[in-house]
Every structure is written in C-alpha cells, then in structure tokens.
Amino acid sequence: MITLPYRFMLTGIVFALCGMALGIWMGTNENFTLAPLHAHINLVGWASLMLFGLFYRGAPQSASTMAAKIHYWVALLGALSLTIGIYGTLANPAVAPLVIPGSLLTLISMLIFLWVVWSAARKGM
C-alpha cells in the first residue's frame, strides 16, 4: 500500500515527466504554443503535488486525516482537468470547458491544504 505522502509525490513526478516531455517536444519543434500548458503541468502538477507530499511526509498525523485523503483526490482531479482544459484553450476547443472546473478544484485543493496545515499548527504538530 502506497502511503498518502508518496501518492502525492509519485503523482507529482508523473506530472514532472509529462511537463519535461512537453518542454522537450516544444524545443525540438521550435513550437511554443503550448508554453502555458507546460508551465501549469510543472507548477500545479509537479511542484504543488510534490510539496503537498513533502508536507504530509513530515506531518504523518495530518496525512492520516480524512481531509488529507480528500485533498489528494481533489488535487489530482483539479490538476488533470486544469491541464486538459488549458490544452483545450490552446489547441482543442472541445476540452476547453474543463479549465473552469479544473481551476475551481485546484483552488478547493489549496483551501483543503490550508485547513490541514492550519489544523496541524493549532495542535502544535
């Protein structure tokens, strides 16, 4: 069973690999149309998910809460739908509407994280 911190980190690494592959593709083709997508894959997917995982690794009491488990799924769905939606706004209008729920889920994810960190801080964890 993969623990929650490692689930966040492994998912973040998958996003990092996707962002790197996209960056390499853009560079070799000298086509930077998808640069905003590349940036969001790396920021929302790689950086945010990895940082969430590192926090939960350092605060295992927080990782065991229901809020943390919900946080993972909301963060994952947000990152996926946001990046697919950004791709849609740039290249495929059929999936562009996903950018709105993706943005909202990403925001909700950060609000859940705020709650988790705030709760840990209040308890002195």
Side-chain angles (χ1 to χ4, degrees):
M1 171 88 177
I2 298 173
T3 63
L4 184 73
Y6 289 109
R7 207 174 320 147
F8 269 108
M9 290 188 276
L10 289 168
T11 305
I13 292 167
V14 170
F15 273 96
L17 291 169
C18 292
M20 289 175 182
L22 179 58
I24 291 167
W25 179 87
M26 289 188 312
T28 58
N29 289 288
E30 296 183 11
N31 179 348
F32 301 99
T33 305
L34 298 177
L37 174 61
H38 170 71
H40 281 81
I41 289 172
N42 287 316
L43 179 61
V44 176
W46 158 239
S48 294
L49 292 173
M50 181 57 79
L51 288 171
F52 296 153
L54 290 173
F55 169 80
Y56 287 122
R57 176 87 164 53
Q61 304 90 338
S62 295
S64 65
T65 65
M66 183 56 71
K69 291 171 180 62
I70 292 169
H71 181 217
Y72 174 76
W73 291 107
V74 172
L76 175 61
L77 290 173
L80 286 172
S81 56
L82 177 62
T83 55
I84 292 168
I86 290 171
Y87 171 75
T89 63
L90 300 171
N92 184 352
V95 293
L98 286 175
V99 79
I100 296 169
S103 297
L104 293 174
L105 285 168
T106 300
L107 174 65
I108 292 166
S109 165
M110 193 57 74
L111 291 171
I112 293 169
F113 190 56
L114 171 64
W115 172 258
V116 169
V117 173
W118 178 259
S119 297
R122 280 192 0 243
K123 294 175 186 172
M125 293 179 168

